[in-house]
Amino acid sequence: MFELDQLSVSFGTATALREATLTIRPGDRLGVVGESGSGKTMLGLSLMGMAPDAAQVTGRLTVDGQEMTGAGEADWQRLRARKVAMIFQEPMSALNPLRRVGDTVADPLRIHMGLSAAEADARALDLFREVGMPDPEARLRQFPHEMSGGQRQRVLIALALACDPALLIADEPTTALDANIRLRITDLLARLADQRGMALLFISHDLAAVARATTEIAVMYGGDIVERGATPAVLKDPAHPYTRGLLGARPDPAPQPRRNGKRPRLPTIPGTVPALGDLAPGCRFSGRCPVELAHCATVRPEMRDLGGRFAACHALEGGA
Amino acid sequence: MKLPVNLLIGAVLVALVLGAAALSLLWTPHDFTQLNVRNKFAAPDATYWLGTDQLGRDLVSQLTAGARNSMAVALAAVLLGGSIGTALGLLAAAIGGWVEDLVMRIADIGFAFPALLFAIMLAAVFGPSLTNAVLAIAFINIPVFARVARAAANQVWTREYVAAARAAGLNRFAISKDHILPNIAAPVIVQATIEFAVAILAEAALSYLGLGAQPPSPTWGRMLSEAQTLMYQAPQLAVYPGLCIVAAVMGFGLLGDGLRDVTDPRLVRER
Amino acid sequence: MILEVRNVTRRYRLPRQALLSAPPVLVAVDNASLTLERGETLGIVGESGSGKSTLARMVMAFERPDEGNIRFDGHDLNALSTGDLRRLRPKFQMIFQDPYGSLDPRRTVGWSIAEPLRVMASTDITRRVDEALAQVGLRQQDAAKYPHEFSGGQRQRIAIARAIVTRPALLVADEAVSALDVSVQAQILNLLMDLQDELGLAMLFISHDLAVVASICDQLMVMQHGRTLESGPAQQVLAAPSHPYTKSLLTAAGA
């Protein structure tokens, strides 16, 4: 179990992640959505103990009750791979081009798990089967450049699963992939989490992928978690004005016929995301929000319980 | 940003050498052509800081004047060879195809050609002179710069702003001038600094062989050459110009490496 | 008709696999045809390796087709002399994918936007640069700044300003919004639609994202491995896709 209690990551006056409070239990499939600068990648890196050296980290982070706030690199190294593993956006650059992918997967099994070479090879083959690699025996002996993007991502997933982590963090795992492969990798991650009872943190800007892969969702803006809840509920009926804006701005794959010779415009969020250091001290979304109140820019809204789901917005208080 | 140590040491050495060379234009402790046979092989004292040579000329004055000549030769040679080489590299990248192949194959041949041999040929035909030394050193620099410029230019040619410039209707030469050259300036300048060190060494070698500067014009190479016969009698005459050459070559070499470290974004990210 | 692409094929020779074998040939675009009317948008959907970018480069006359021809405003692009082609270029412009790579980092924004005008030897460069900046929602003062001072979305606005400053008849947008965040992407798509209404632009809009293409296109063409799988009015293709690949793209887009 991973518990974040008011975890913040900042660089001088710029706060990349502000007082994030979150619990990830075994088997949870949590999606984290947000745009550039929302802090979603920083959240993932914090859970790996990989926040940049220059960052100041405050708040608490515990892993299965073990205090990891301010833990050193040695402590994190014991946790990585076994408790928490990560896959990245670009599968090509995450693989050593000069090593056969089977060896890449078998290495940590020998080093961390103390398996013999033969045992490690057998385990690598099992992992390749588990991640749905076509023709797994032959693939073990291939080099990364001989594989497709989807196959390389499967190698990385196999590598991440090698030491049976309790939590798999996937940071934009499908962004670099073609559409039909994107679906298969998304579904694979969801299936692996369910089969293994492993928690999945699926970080993505791709709402369609998050909708498929996750049961719960956290929406981030400007370093804050602004809304949290069951994925279908949040996507169908977003409570926070930013979530509403984000979902509205997403183009619809349905045909958009012209009316009076004009094509309908997409709903947009006015303005641009401010630089991290220029964010309002209150609600980060103030200045762009259509339902903004007088005190939004200065007073930070609390996370409100809306019946099993949560949103941090002053406009939801009192009324609702 | 933290500056690399090699850049700092290089900058200090280069500043010392350039400072001495610049100073010698205005002032030297003594006239470096002034003979004073009665005072030959003088030991260092308040008047002659490093003593005098076999003809009684002041060593400090000769060394600073030599710095000026060595710098001038290196500068002229690198500027000339660098301009021609960079232009060829830009041309090769701009036109591509067989022109690029031809330019680069010629550059390969230039690389394989021994510079010293070329200098000796020039000296044999036109007589030894500082100008011919400059030409010889410039010549060996052309293929070096052609390669660096072409490799960097080919990278810039793949950028989208170059495609945008083509869409705007610019021809290849206008694109090379407006977009390619400014964006390859950093690697070319880095290379020029490193080649400057090579040029100082080459000039010293040519002058040592009597193919460069002619008497009475002092350069470090010629001083070394003249001191050679007196090695056992007055080893200091060889040691001082030798140290100067080492300092200058090391200075420019370190400066070039340091500049490459700070301008190469790949290396910056790894730090 | 502003653009007509007829039976265009483009092949690339790949590096040979063995010393004595003939080098393999990749057919990047295989017998593609399309027509585009003034003021209309044609969307090309496809993924990496579909040939959509190669097709765009041929329409921009950056590359020549091996077979077939491309007519822009009645001119056969590959039959024009270099000089005539250069004089025609201001009439068809392009926006690129990477808002960080499509502007020369060493030039001010105003300099970059003015570049095509200088080629045309235009007389009122400053006024037209200001006008183009206003049209894309930027301020006059922004002309003196450098690209690194802007966000990705703003840079894409700058790139659009440069593309429309010559008042072109055709705009080719190759993955022009793919690198942008969803909310910025919507702003840029709306801007392109506004400019199209205002200037009567024809647009060739290329993307891997079917939802994005659906929001902006009249006509739709689906490409895979260089071949055209289907094409037609966007509503028709989206409502009743005839090819299974198009259906899988629709699923991936969350339809």
PDB file of all heavy atoms in Angstrom, chain B residues 221-251:
ATOM      1  N   GLY B 221      59.056  28.616 -32.895  1.00  0.00           N
ATOM      2  CA  GLY B 221      59.643  27.496 -33.616  1.00  0.00           C
ATOM      3  C   GLY B 221      61.065  27.798 -34.050  1.00  0.00           C
ATOM      4  O   GLY B 221      61.964  26.956 -33.949  1.00  0.00           O
ATOM      5  N   ARG B 222      61.271  29.036 -34.537  1.00  0.00           N
ATOM      6  CA  ARG B 222      62.599  29.386 -35.011  1.00  0.00           C
ATOM      7  C   ARG B 222      63.569  29.517 -33.835  1.00  0.00           C
ATOM      8  O   ARG B 222      64.735  29.118 -33.932  1.00  0.00           O
ATOM      9  CB  ARG B 222      62.534  30.698 -35.788  1.00  0.00           C
ATOM     10  CG  ARG B 222      63.460  30.703 -37.014  1.00  0.00           C
ATOM     11  CD  ARG B 222      63.244  31.922 -37.857  1.00  0.00           C
ATOM     12  NE  ARG B 222      63.392  33.157 -37.101  1.00  0.00           N
ATOM     13  CZ  ARG B 222      64.552  33.668 -36.726  1.00  0.00           C
ATOM     14  NH1 ARG B 222      65.681  33.069 -37.043  1.00  0.00           N
ATOM     15  NH2 ARG B 222      64.599  34.785 -36.052  1.00  0.00           N
ATOM     16  N   MET B 223      63.089  30.056 -32.731  1.00  0.00           N
ATOM     17  CA  MET B 223      63.940  30.149 -31.537  1.00  0.00           C
ATOM     18  C   MET B 223      64.391  28.766 -31.102  1.00  0.00           C
ATOM     19  O   MET B 223      65.556  28.534 -30.770  1.00  0.00           O
ATOM     20  CB  MET B 223      63.182  30.832 -30.382  1.00  0.00           C
ATOM     21  CG  MET B 223      62.958  32.319 -30.609  1.00  0.00           C
ATOM     22  SD  MET B 223      61.870  33.034 -29.365  1.00  0.00           S
ATOM     23  CE  MET B 223      62.949  33.061 -27.941  1.00  0.00           C
ATOM     24  N   LEU B 224      63.453  27.836 -31.147  1.00  0.00           N
ATOM     25  CA  LEU B 224      63.753  26.459 -30.770  1.00  0.00           C
ATOM     26  C   LEU B 224      64.806  25.887 -31.714  1.00  0.00           C
ATOM     27  O   LEU B 224      65.766  25.226 -31.298  1.00  0.00           O
ATOM     28  CB  LEU B 224      62.460  25.642 -30.870  1.00  0.00           C
ATOM     29  CG  LEU B 224      62.290  24.424 -29.989  1.00  0.00           C
ATOM     30  CD1 LEU B 224      62.476  24.786 -28.540  1.00  0.00           C
ATOM     31  CD2 LEU B 224      60.898  23.835 -30.209  1.00  0.00           C
ATOM     32  N   SER B 225      64.626  26.163 -32.998  1.00  0.00           N
ATOM     33  CA  SER B 225      65.541  25.655 -34.013  1.00  0.00           C
ATOM     34  C   SER B 225      66.961  26.184 -33.783  1.00  0.00           C
ATOM     35  O   SER B 225      67.937  25.449 -33.841  1.00  0.00           O
ATOM     36  CB  SER B 225      65.019  26.052 -35.389  1.00  0.00           C
ATOM     37  OG  SER B 225      66.011  25.963 -36.347  1.00  0.00           O
ATOM     38  N   GLU B 226      67.062  27.492 -33.488  1.00  0.00           N
ATOM     39  CA  GLU B 226      68.378  28.091 -33.289  1.00  0.00           C
ATOM     40  C   GLU B 226      69.018  27.594 -31.995  1.00  0.00           C
ATOM     41  O   GLU B 226      70.243  27.456 -31.909  1.00  0.00           O
ATOM     42  CB  GLU B 226      68.264  29.619 -33.256  1.00  0.00           C
ATOM     43  CG  GLU B 226      68.030  30.205 -34.642  1.00  0.00           C
ATOM     44  CD  GLU B 226      67.832  31.716 -34.583  1.00  0.00           C
ATOM     45  OE1 GLU B 226      67.931  32.291 -33.477  1.00  0.00           O
ATOM     46  OE2 GLU B 226      67.564  32.309 -35.638  1.00  0.00           O
ATOM     47  N   ALA B 227      68.165  27.312 -30.991  1.00  0.00           N
ATOM     48  CA  ALA B 227      68.689  26.892 -29.700  1.00  0.00           C
ATOM     49  C   ALA B 227      69.220  25.468 -29.752  1.00  0.00           C
ATOM     50  O   ALA B 227      70.020  25.062 -28.913  1.00  0.00           O
ATOM     51  CB  ALA B 227      67.600  27.010 -28.641  1.00  0.00           C
ATOM     52  N   GLN B 228      68.753  24.720 -30.750  1.00  0.00           N
ATOM     53  CA  GLN B 228      69.064  23.305 -30.819  1.00  0.00           C
ATOM     54  C   GLN B 228      70.577  23.047 -30.810  1.00  0.00           C
ATOM     55  O   GLN B 228      71.061  22.168 -30.104  1.00  0.00           O
ATOM     56  CB  GLN B 228      68.441  22.759 -32.090  1.00  0.00           C
ATOM     57  CG  GLN B 228      68.640  21.294 -32.284  1.00  0.00           C
ATOM     58  CD  GLN B 228      68.295  20.892 -33.694  1.00  0.00           C
ATOM     59  OE1 GLN B 228      67.729  19.861 -33.896  1.00  0.00           O
ATOM     60  NE2 GLN B 228      68.638  21.718 -34.665  1.00  0.00           N
ATOM     61  N   THR B 229      71.312  23.843 -31.580  1.00  0.00           N
ATOM     62  CA  THR B 229      72.757  23.614 -31.683  1.00  0.00           C
ATOM     63  C   THR B 229      73.464  23.945 -30.374  1.00  0.00           C
ATOM     64  O   THR B 229      74.608  23.567 -30.184  1.00  0.00           O
ATOM     65  CB  THR B 229      73.362  24.479 -32.808  1.00  0.00           C
ATOM     66  OG1 THR B 229      72.914  25.814 -32.615  1.00  0.00           O
ATOM     67  CG2 THR B 229      72.917  23.962 -34.167  1.00  0.00           C
ATOM     68  N   LEU B 230      72.760  24.696 -29.507  1.00  0.00           N
ATOM     69  CA  LEU B 230      73.396  25.115 -28.261  1.00  0.00           C
ATOM     70  C   LEU B 230      72.841  24.381 -27.058  1.00  0.00           C
ATOM     71  O   LEU B 230      72.957  24.841 -25.918  1.00  0.00           O
ATOM     72  CB  LEU B 230      73.194  26.638 -28.068  1.00  0.00           C
ATOM     73  CG  LEU B 230      73.650  27.483 -29.256  1.00  0.00           C
ATOM     74  CD1 LEU B 230      73.009  28.859 -29.225  1.00  0.00           C
ATOM     75  CD2 LEU B 230      75.175  27.607 -29.255  1.00  0.00           C
ATOM     76  N   MET B 231      72.219  23.243 -27.337  1.00  0.00           N
ATOM     77  CA  MET B 231      71.518  22.491 -26.310  1.00  0.00           C
ATOM     78  C   MET B 231      72.339  22.295 -25.042  1.00  0.00           C
ATOM     79  O   MET B 231      71.832  22.453 -23.929  1.00  0.00           O
ATOM     80  CB  MET B 231      71.150  21.108 -26.848  1.00  0.00           C
ATOM     81  CG  MET B 231      69.675  20.822 -27.062  1.00  0.00           C
ATOM     82  SD  MET B 231      68.509  21.764 -26.129  1.00  0.00           S
ATOM     83  CE  MET B 231      68.061  20.593 -24.881  1.00  0.00           C
ATOM     84  N   TYR B 232      73.650  21.934 -25.199  1.00  0.00           N
ATOM     85  CA  TYR B 232      74.461  21.616 -24.018  1.00  0.00           C
ATOM     86  C   TYR B 232      75.032  22.866 -23.370  1.00  0.00           C
ATOM     87  O   TYR B 232      75.256  22.923 -22.179  1.00  0.00           O
ATOM     88  CB  TYR B 232      75.575  20.641 -24.395  1.00  0.00           C
ATOM     89  CG  TYR B 232      74.979  19.330 -24.847  1.00  0.00           C
ATOM     90  CD1 TYR B 232      74.897  18.996 -26.198  1.00  0.00           C
ATOM     91  CD2 TYR B 232      74.440  18.447 -23.906  1.00  0.00           C
ATOM     92  CE1 TYR B 232      74.311  17.825 -26.602  1.00  0.00           C
ATOM     93  CE2 TYR B 232      73.846  17.281 -24.309  1.00  0.00           C
ATOM     94  CZ  TYR B 232      73.796  16.960 -25.657  1.00  0.00           C
ATOM     95  OH  TYR B 232      73.206  15.814 -26.044  1.00  0.00           O
ATOM     96  N   GLN B 233      75.210  23.891 -24.220  1.00  0.00           N
ATOM     97  CA  GLN B 233      75.783  25.134 -23.744  1.00  0.00           C
ATOM     98  C   GLN B 233      74.758  25.973 -22.990  1.00  0.00           C
ATOM     99  O   GLN B 233      75.048  26.494 -21.922  1.00  0.00           O
ATOM    100  CB  GLN B 233      76.262  25.928 -24.976  1.00  0.00           C
ATOM    101  CG  GLN B 233      77.467  26.763 -24.735  1.00  0.00           C
ATOM    102  CD  GLN B 233      77.903  27.373 -26.054  1.00  0.00           C
ATOM    103  OE1 GLN B 233      77.577  26.865 -27.120  1.00  0.00           O
ATOM    104  NE2 GLN B 233      78.649  28.457 -25.973  1.00  0.00           N
ATOM    105  N   ALA B 234      73.551  26.091 -23.579  1.00  0.00           N
ATOM    106  CA  ALA B 234      72.521  26.968 -22.987  1.00  0.00           C
ATOM    107  C   ALA B 234      71.138  26.355 -23.179  1.00  0.00           C
ATOM    108  O   ALA B 234      70.368  26.784 -24.019  1.00  0.00           O
ATOM    109  CB  ALA B 234      72.580  28.353 -23.658  1.00  0.00           C
ATOM    110  N   PRO B 235      70.858  25.288 -22.399  1.00  0.00           N
ATOM    111  CA  PRO B 235      69.576  24.596 -22.595  1.00  0.00           C
ATOM    112  C   PRO B 235      68.366  25.507 -22.369  1.00  0.00           C
ATOM    113  O   PRO B 235      67.313  25.278 -22.934  1.00  0.00           O
ATOM    114  CB  PRO B 235      69.630  23.464 -21.568  1.00  0.00           C
ATOM    115  CG  PRO B 235      70.677  23.845 -20.593  1.00  0.00           C
ATOM    116  CD  PRO B 235      71.663  24.680 -21.337  1.00  0.00           C
ATOM    117  N   GLN B 236      68.523  26.573 -21.561  1.00  0.00           N
ATOM    118  CA  GLN B 236      67.375  27.428 -21.280  1.00  0.00           C
ATOM    119  C   GLN B 236      66.825  28.072 -22.546  1.00  0.00           C
ATOM    120  O   GLN B 236      65.649  28.394 -22.643  1.00  0.00           O
ATOM    121  CB  GLN B 236      67.738  28.499 -20.225  1.00  0.00           C
ATOM    122  CG  GLN B 236      68.550  29.674 -20.736  1.00  0.00           C
ATOM    123  CD  GLN B 236      70.058  29.386 -20.772  1.00  0.00           C
ATOM    124  OE1 GLN B 236      70.483  28.231 -20.652  1.00  0.00           O
ATOM    125  NE2 GLN B 236      70.864  30.414 -20.942  1.00  0.00           N
ATOM    126  N   LEU B 237      67.689  28.248 -23.576  1.00  0.00           N
ATOM    127  CA  LEU B 237      67.235  28.876 -24.815  1.00  0.00           C
ATOM    128  C   LEU B 237      66.190  28.013 -25.519  1.00  0.00           C
ATOM    129  O   LEU B 237      65.340  28.509 -26.242  1.00  0.00           O
ATOM    130  CB  LEU B 237      68.425  29.120 -25.760  1.00  0.00           C
ATOM    131  CG  LEU B 237      69.478  30.088 -25.262  1.00  0.00           C
ATOM    132  CD1 LEU B 237      70.497  30.373 -26.369  1.00  0.00           C
ATOM    133  CD2 LEU B 237      68.855  31.377 -24.787  1.00  0.00           C
ATOM    134  N   ALA B 238      66.268  26.722 -25.327  1.00  0.00           N
ATOM    135  CA  ALA B 238      65.266  25.833 -25.925  1.00  0.00           C
ATOM    136  C   ALA B 238      64.074  25.643 -25.002  1.00  0.00           C
ATOM    137  O   ALA B 238      62.939  25.484 -25.456  1.00  0.00           O
ATOM    138  CB  ALA B 238      65.895  24.473 -26.246  1.00  0.00           C
ATOM    139  N   VAL B 239      64.365  25.678 -23.702  1.00  0.00           N
ATOM    140  CA  VAL B 239      63.294  25.391 -22.736  1.00  0.00           C
ATOM    141  C   VAL B 239      62.194  26.464 -22.785  1.00  0.00           C
ATOM    142  O   VAL B 239      61.006  26.152 -22.829  1.00  0.00           O
ATOM    143  CB  VAL B 239      63.873  25.277 -21.310  1.00  0.00           C
ATOM    144  CG1 VAL B 239      62.757  25.266 -20.277  1.00  0.00           C
ATOM    145  CG2 VAL B 239      64.708  24.009 -21.200  1.00  0.00           C
ATOM    146  N   TYR B 240      62.596  27.760 -22.817  1.00  0.00           N
ATOM    147  CA  TYR B 240      61.583  28.809 -22.747  1.00  0.00           C
ATOM    148  C   TYR B 240      60.606  28.777 -23.927  1.00  0.00           C
ATOM    149  O   TYR B 240      59.389  28.728 -23.715  1.00  0.00           O
ATOM    150  CB  TYR B 240      62.242  30.193 -22.609  1.00  0.00           C
ATOM    151  CG  TYR B 240      62.980  30.365 -21.294  1.00  0.00           C
ATOM    152  CD1 TYR B 240      64.253  30.914 -21.238  1.00  0.00           C
ATOM    153  CD2 TYR B 240      62.378  29.967 -20.099  1.00  0.00           C
ATOM    154  CE1 TYR B 240      64.923  31.063 -20.038  1.00  0.00           C
ATOM    155  CE2 TYR B 240      63.041  30.112 -18.881  1.00  0.00           C
ATOM    156  CZ  TYR B 240      64.312  30.662 -18.850  1.00  0.00           C
ATOM    157  OH  TYR B 240      64.979  30.806 -17.655  1.00  0.00           O
ATOM    158  N   PRO B 241      61.083  28.795 -25.183  1.00  0.00           N
ATOM    159  CA  PRO B 241      60.097  28.737 -26.285  1.00  0.00           C
ATOM    160  C   PRO B 241      59.304  27.439 -26.264  1.00  0.00           C
ATOM    161  O   PRO B 241      58.118  27.430 -26.592  1.00  0.00           O
ATOM    162  CB  PRO B 241      60.939  28.847 -27.552  1.00  0.00           C
ATOM    163  CG  PRO B 241      62.340  28.619 -27.136  1.00  0.00           C
ATOM    164  CD  PRO B 241      62.445  28.974 -25.690  1.00  0.00           C
ATOM    165  N   GLY B 242      59.959  26.358 -25.827  1.00  0.00           N
ATOM    166  CA  GLY B 242      59.236  25.086 -25.726  1.00  0.00           C
ATOM    167  C   GLY B 242      58.067  25.183 -24.763  1.00  0.00           C
ATOM    168  O   GLY B 242      56.950  24.775 -25.060  1.00  0.00           O
ATOM    169  N   LEU B 243      58.342  25.798 -23.590  1.00  0.00           N
ATOM    170  CA  LEU B 243      57.278  25.965 -22.598  1.00  0.00           C
ATOM    171  C   LEU B 243      56.159  26.847 -23.145  1.00  0.00           C
ATOM    172  O   LEU B 243      54.969  26.582 -22.921  1.00  0.00           O
ATOM    173  CB  LEU B 243      57.851  26.588 -21.315  1.00  0.00           C
ATOM    174  CG  LEU B 243      58.595  25.617 -20.403  1.00  0.00           C
ATOM    175  CD1 LEU B 243      59.167  26.376 -19.199  1.00  0.00           C
ATOM    176  CD2 LEU B 243      57.661  24.502 -19.923  1.00  0.00           C
ATOM    177  N   CYS B 244      56.548  27.888 -23.885  1.00  0.00           N
ATOM    178  CA  CYS B 244      55.537  28.780 -24.459  1.00  0.00           C
ATOM    179  C   CYS B 244      54.628  28.009 -25.410  1.00  0.00           C
ATOM    180  O   CYS B 244      53.403  28.174 -25.406  1.00  0.00           O
ATOM    181  CB  CYS B 244      56.201  29.935 -25.217  1.00  0.00           C
ATOM    182  SG  CYS B 244      56.908  31.159 -24.115  1.00  0.00           S
ATOM    183  N   ILE B 245      55.234  27.166 -26.258  1.00  0.00           N
ATOM    184  CA  ILE B 245      54.447  26.388 -27.210  1.00  0.00           C
ATOM    185  C   ILE B 245      53.484  25.464 -26.454  1.00  0.00           C
ATOM    186  O   ILE B 245      52.292  25.399 -26.751  1.00  0.00           O
ATOM    187  CB  ILE B 245      55.368  25.574 -28.148  1.00  0.00           C
ATOM    188  CG1 ILE B 245      56.135  26.521 -29.059  1.00  0.00           C
ATOM    189  CG2 ILE B 245      54.557  24.588 -28.977  1.00  0.00           C
ATOM    190  CD1 ILE B 245      57.261  25.845 -29.825  1.00  0.00           C
ATOM    191  N   VAL B 246      54.024  24.789 -25.441  1.00  0.00           N
ATOM    192  CA  VAL B 246      53.177  23.881 -24.660  1.00  0.00           C
ATOM    193  C   VAL B 246      52.008  24.651 -24.040  1.00  0.00           C
ATOM    194  O   VAL B 246      50.847  24.225 -24.124  1.00  0.00           O
ATOM    195  CB  VAL B 246      54.008  23.185 -23.554  1.00  0.00           C
ATOM    196  CG1 VAL B 246      53.082  22.458 -22.583  1.00  0.00           C
ATOM    197  CG2 VAL B 246      54.988  22.215 -24.179  1.00  0.00           C
ATOM    198  N   ALA B 247      52.316  25.833 -23.444  1.00  0.00           N
ATOM    199  CA  ALA B 247      51.268  26.604 -22.779  1.00  0.00           C
ATOM    200  C   ALA B 247      50.191  27.029 -23.777  1.00  0.00           C
ATOM    201  O   ALA B 247      48.982  26.903 -23.521  1.00  0.00           O
ATOM    202  CB  ALA B 247      51.864  27.831 -22.091  1.00  0.00           C
ATOM    203  N   ALA B 248      50.609  27.519 -24.938  1.00  0.00           N
ATOM    204  CA  ALA B 248      49.643  28.012 -25.918  1.00  0.00           C
ATOM    205  C   ALA B 248      48.795  26.871 -26.476  1.00  0.00           C
ATOM    206  O   ALA B 248      47.569  26.958 -26.580  1.00  0.00           O
ATOM    207  CB  ALA B 248      50.377  28.735 -27.054  1.00  0.00           C
ATOM    208  N   VAL B 249      49.445  25.757 -26.833  1.00  0.00           N
ATOM    209  CA  VAL B 249      48.723  24.627 -27.410  1.00  0.00           C
ATOM    210  C   VAL B 249      47.748  24.052 -26.390  1.00  0.00           C
ATOM    211  O   VAL B 249      46.581  23.798 -26.683  1.00  0.00           O
ATOM    212  CB  VAL B 249      49.715  23.549 -27.887  1.00  0.00           C
ATOM    213  CG1 VAL B 249      48.974  22.274 -28.281  1.00  0.00           C
ATOM    214  CG2 VAL B 249      50.519  24.064 -29.065  1.00  0.00           C
ATOM    215  N   MET B 250      48.248  23.902 -25.151  1.00  0.00           N
ATOM    216  CA  MET B 250      47.374  23.388 -24.105  1.00  0.00           C
ATOM    217  C   MET B 250      46.214  24.339 -23.855  1.00  0.00           C
ATOM    218  O   MET B 250      45.064  23.920 -23.718  1.00  0.00           O
ATOM    219  CB  MET B 250      48.157  23.217 -22.807  1.00  0.00           C
ATOM    220  CG  MET B 250      48.384  21.783 -22.410  1.00  0.00           C
ATOM    221  SD  MET B 250      49.330  21.724 -20.884  1.00  0.00           S
ATOM    222  CE  MET B 250      48.139  22.359 -19.721  1.00  0.00           C
ATOM    223  N   GLY B 251      46.527  25.632 -23.813  1.00  0.00           N
ATOM    224  CA  GLY B 251      45.493  26.631 -23.539  1.00  0.00           C
ATOM    225  C   GLY B 251      44.373  26.574 -24.552  1.00  0.00           C
ATOM    226  O   GLY B 251      43.197  26.447 -24.201  1.00  0.00           O
TER     227      GLY B 251
END
